Amino acid sequence: MDAPLLALTRRPTGPTAETAAAENTRQLIQLRWIAVAGQTIAILFVHWGLDVPLPIVEMLSVVAFLAAVNLAVTLALPRHHVRSGEVMLTLLLDMSVLTLQLYFSGGATNPFIALYLLQVVLGAILLPPLSVAVLAAATILSYALLSFRSVPLVLPPGPTTQGFDLFAIGRWTSFAMVASLLVLFIMRISRNLRAREVHVADLRQHAVQEDGIVRMGLFASGAAHELGTPLGTLAVILADWRRMPEIMRHRQLALEVDEMSAEVQRCKAIVSDILHSAGRPRGDALESMTASVFVDATVDGWHSTHVLVPLDYVRGFDTVPIIAVDPALRQAVWNLLDNAAEVSPQGIRAEATVDATMLTIAVSDMGPGFASDALAHIGTLYRSTKGAGHGLGLFLAVNVARRLGGRLEANNLHGGGAEVRLMLPLINAGEPND
């Protein structure tokens, strides 16, 4: 969104429906400050510069009232949620002030009566149809009243007799003001509304992805439950094999049975984690953990089952920051390491760094890198260069990071290969170790 034109206004924190309404109100506040300055200058210039008699006390009192209301709204806005009905009241206030100023300066004959159009057009953009109808009816009624009742505007004879038509100059100035202000503020308000629409579309996309996660979670928990029986059977069979004399006498076979037993136990642990995570509420599944402990244990746990893949692991911080960990986070990091090892069996690199607010786990490989179109869809479900049905690992990593308040980024390295960075927010940065 555009930054406010005046330093007295503030920007919202996000393009939601409420913050979009607040940002539009800020634009109206800016417009009202312009109106306060413009009316003050115009009143003083016309009264003292052109010698046109005006009820200056009444008109400047209206300007002071508008400035006081605008200052109060400016101070209250950061602590108040703006609704569309309040935007309509704001525009009605502006229209009422304009009506009073026109009443004291010629009514419907005043060239600046065209400023009514500014209020109506802004209302048509910002308000629902019923509110726009109310605003338009109030404008028409005000114009009609000014046509019958107002303080006459008495022009001195000098300027018009010397070839200057003050009404023509006023009409030209009014047209230029309306055109300029409409272009400026409609462009800014339209950008605010487009930002809100983009945000809503992003929320819809996230909802679709969350639905995919829910469906996969149901499927995974069902599959994990079904896998429990065959894994238990395999564990019993392997335990029986380990006691068989033929295998006990054959050292190589005994080592392979031990390795198979370890892998079965690992599978049973994964199945237990899935069932445990599926049965826990989301809030209860989160826990705090020292970042160094989590990263070291996760990387070491992965490497212990992939000893044939050279791994260069660097933890580039000595502080003790705390991160929020959920049961799926370890698997998300393992997915990144698995993907890197698959395309780069000759070696991969994992680096953990910390800045003021984030823990970054960067996994890089020496493979062919991402295709340009794949980079644009990193983390999209089932979008992968490996073919249909793949891409689940990065999808889960993206959503785990998002659920924890972080994000995932990917890029190709200049010397070849790719890098994927999982960034997680710190709960606190800790203090350096001595």
Side-chain angles (χ1 to χ4, degrees):
M1 297 181 186
D2 291 325
L5 293 176
L6 302 180
L8 290 174
T9 60
R10 301 181 181 179
R11 297 181 63 181
T13 56
T16 62
E18 287 185 352
T19 55
E23 180 66 17
N24 291 331
T25 301
R26 287 179 173 86
Q27 304 300 330
L28 294 178
I29 289 173
Q30 296 167 19
L31 179 61
R32 199 172 297 117
W33 285 124
I34 293 174
V36 167
Q39 290 178 20
T40 303
I41 294 172
I43 292 169
L44 296 177
F45 175 74
V46 171
H47 185 77
W48 300 109
L50 299 179
D51 292 327
V52 177
L54 295 174
I56 193 167
V57 174
E58 292 85 349
M59 297 184 75
L60 289 180
S61 298
V62 173
V63 174
F65 169 75
L66 181 62
V69 171
N70 206 38
L71 181 60
V73 173
T74 303
L75 296 176
L77 187 60
R79 302 181 298 274
H80 179 68
H81 294 294
V82 179
R83 299 173 179 84
S84 60
E86 295 169 344
V87 176
M88 183 187 72
L89 292 177
T90 299
L91 291 173
L92 285 174
L93 172 66
D94 295 337
M95 189 201 67
S96 301
V97 169
L98 177 60
T99 300
L100 284 174
Q101 297 290 33
L102 293 173
Y103 171 81
F104 290 122
S105 56
T109 63
N110 191 313
F112 288 94
I113 200 167
L115 289 173
Y116 274 136
L117 294 177
L118 181 62
Q119 311 298 330
V120 175
V121 173
L122 290 178
I125 296 173
L126 298 176
L127 301 176
L130 182 59
S131 299
V132 176
V134 172
L135 183 65
T139 304
I140 294 171
L141 180 61
S142 299
Y143 195 114
L145 292 175
L146 291 174
S147 299
F148 295 101
R149 188 175 182 84
S150 62
V151 176
L153 188 64
V154 181
L155 299 181
T160 54
T161 57
Q162 297 176 8
F164 295 98
D165 187 346
L166 291 182
F167 278 101
I169 295 175
R171 285 191 295 269
W172 182 89
T173 304
S174 174
F175 177 83
M177 287 179 58
V178 171
S180 301
L181 291 173
L182 281 178
V183 169
L184 176 63
F185 284 92
I186 288 177
M187 287 179 61
R188 296 169 68 84
I189 290 172
S190 297
R191 288 172 186 167
N192 293 341
L193 296 177
R194 284 196 298 270
R196 185 185 68 180
E197 292 170 358
V198 170
H199 180 71
V200 171
D202 194 35
L203 289 178
R204 291 196 186 102
Q205 179 63 28
H206 289 176
V208 171
Q209 293 178 346
E210 290 288 342
D211 180 66
I213 292 175
V214 170
R215 288 187 284 109
M216 285 189 297
L218 293 173
F219 174 77
S221 60
H225 185 271
E226 295 296 328
L227 286 172
T229 299
L231 286 175
T233 302
L234 286 175
V236 172
I237 294 173
L238 289 172
D240 291 340
W241 282 6
R242 190 179 299 167
R243 293 190 292 269
M244 292 177 64
E246 296 86 348
I247 293 179
M248 294 176 65
R249 288 194 299 268
H250 199 300
R251 180 174 176 76
Q252 184 62 33
L253 282 178
L255 291 175
E256 290 179 356
V257 169
D258 289 341
E259 184 177 352
M260 285 189 290
S261 297
E263 291 299 319
V264 168
Q265 292 302 319
R266 179 170 176 252
C267 290
K268 291 178 68 176
I270 293 173
V271 167
S272 297
D273 284 345
I274 293 174
L275 292 173
H276 185 56
S277 300
R280 295 176 67 179
R282 175 174 294 185
D284 293 341
L286 294 177
E287 61 176 334
S288 299
M289 183 179 293
T290 304
S292 57
V293 172
F294 169 76
V295 179
D296 290 349
T298 300
V299 174
D300 290 344
W302 180 87
H303 197 223
S304 66
T305 59
H306 298 77
V307 292
L308 297 180
V309 179
L311 172 63
D312 179 17
Y313 169 54
V314 177
R315 175 161 56 84
F317 60 93
D318 294 324
T319 55
V320 287
I322 305 298
I323 60 171
V325 176
D326 100 350
L329 182 57
R330 181 186 64 176
Q331 188 60 48
V333 177
W334 283 5
N335 289 340
L336 301 184
L337 294 169
D338 285 340
N339 289 344
E342 185 175 348
V343 298
S344 179
Q346 67 272 32
I348 63 175
R349 176 181 174 85
E351 182 178 5
T353 57
V354 164
D355 60 19
T357 60
M358 303 290 282
L359 163 70
T360 300
I361 303 174
V363 177
S364 57
D365 59 62
M366 295 179 283
F370 294 103
S372 57
D373 58 336
L375 276 176
H377 298 92
I378 287 294
T380 302
L381 185 59
Y382 301 139
R383 286 290 295 265
S384 172
T385 55
K386 302 176 187 177
H390 294 274
L392 184 59
L394 283 177
F395 173 76
L396 291 175
V398 166
N399 283 277
V400 168
R402 181 183 297 139
R403 187 166 64 247
L404 296 175
R407 64 185 186 275
L408 185 138
E409 297 177 353
N411 65 281
N412 290 325
L413 302 175
H414 294 297
E419 181 183 65
V420 180
R421 296 183 301 277
L422 180 66
M423 285 166 280
L424 304 168
L426 302 177
I427 297 177
N428 62 69
E431 299 294 336
N433 292 333
D434 293 330

